[in-house]
Amino acid sequence: MIIINTKAYRKGVGKDLEQLVKTCTEMVDPENLIFSVQPEDLLRLEETDVEVFAQHLDPVEPGSHTGSILGEGIVEAGASGTLLNHSENRLESEQIKASVEKAKELGLNTVVCAQSPEECREFKEFEPDYIAFEPPELIGGDTSVAEAEPEIIEEAVEASAPVPALTGAGIKTAEDVSKSLEHGCEGVLVASGVVKAEKPGEAVEELVKGL
Ligand code: G3P
């Protein structure tokens, strides 16, 4: 599994996002990819073959919650899951727990991000579908987690069990992907390696070779 988190990159939103998804799915089987996008872009991808996640969800019921990302709304807009507690949008533990519960009620898949094996151990108690271990200092950089922290990936995988683990940060090559899987992960999260690539189609084709 490769989750492409488009963050709020200019090339990862709006019409550019449509083009990005088109380019990537022309190069590889869409079955291998999940795009994690801004909620307002979910509907935009409705007619595509890719699975889409919302980058966040607030654990609120429909009602007076101005500015919140409503689970019911993202389901209706086509999301099949949500990414929670990304390093760039950290939540309190109680919010993570409530968001996972809310997502589950709605039948959404949940990926909870963790910055350390200790957090993996803490967040697995909330029973998300996946825990994504991402060392914050490597996010957006040139050295991948698979090169820099192979032992910690294994620790994170162990700490997350029985919840399956993913990893991310600096992933750009087929070797980064295959190493992550060798260390026990079920998949990877990638952002800049695809969204900021000069040729995103080729970037994604390279990553899929590592699966
Ligand atoms: O969610 C994935 C992300 O945080 C990793 O970012 O740019 O290092 O692939 P990047």
Side-chain angles (χ1 to χ4, degrees):
M1 171 201 296
I2 297 177
I3 299 182
I4 300 176
N5 179 16
T6 63
K7 303 196 174 184
Y9 285 132
R10 190 62 199 87
K11 292 251 157 104
V13 299
K15 290 209 165 72
D16 285 342
L17 172 68
E18 276 178 46
Q19 186 53 50
L20 178 74
V21 171
K22 188 166 177 280
T23 306
C24 291
T25 53
E26 275 168 5
M27 296 297 271
V28 304
D29 184 345
E31 292 257 309
N32 292 312
L33 307 176
I34 295 174
F35 279 82
S36 166
V37 304
Q38 300 264 326
E40 69 274 17
D41 280 322
L42 289 165
L43 266 180
R44 193 180 275 282
L45 301 179
E46 207 185 13
E47 303 297 320
T48 66
D49 295 333
V50 283
E51 201 176 326
V52 282
F53 280 14
Q55 287 176 10
H56 177 69
L57 166 151
D58 287 300
V60 296
E61 296 303 315
S64 39
H65 301 289
T66 305
S68 296
I69 296 176
L70 182 67
E72 285 78 354
I74 62 168
V75 169
E76 205 171 315
S80 62
T82 180
L83 191 64
L84 297 166
N85 195 44
H86 190 275
S87 279
E88 293 151 10
N89 194 4
R90 296 271 286 169
L91 306 173
E92 297 294 330
S93 282
E94 280 312 304
Q95 283 174 290
I96 302 173
K97 183 171 189 275
S99 300
V100 169
E101 278 167 14
K102 175 75 194 179
K104 280 187 173 182
E105 274 167 35
L106 294 167
L108 289 165
N109 291 308
T110 47
V111 177
V112 172
C113 299
Q115 295 185 334
S116 63
E118 292 69 36
E119 286 193 352
C120 295
R121 201 164 288 114
E122 179 186 348
F123 301 154
K124 78 173 171 189
E125 299 304 324
F126 308 148
E127 299 181 358
D129 294 290
Y130 296 94
I131 291 182
F133 166 62
E134 296 198 326
E137 67 282 7
L138 297 175
I139 291 177
D142 288 329
T143 308
S144 77
V145 59
E147 289 169 281
E149 314 244 19
E151 312 78 25
I152 310 190
I153 295 181
E154 288 190 9
E155 250 186 78
V157 168
E158 231 174 83
S160 303
V163 175
L166 311 173
T167 194
I171 302 266
K172 289 184 180 63
T173 65
E175 202 187 342
D176 290 332
V177 176
S178 60
K179 273 193 188 165
S180 303
L181 303 190
E182 275 164 31
H183 293 305
C185 293
E186 296 222 349
V188 295
L189 275 88
V190 185
S192 51
V194 171
V195 187
K196 293 174 86 176
E198 221 167 281
K199 298 191 172 161
E202 288 177 21
V204 92
E205 196 180 28
E206 159 75 11
L207 294 171
V208 166
K209 283 185 198 150
L211 285 177

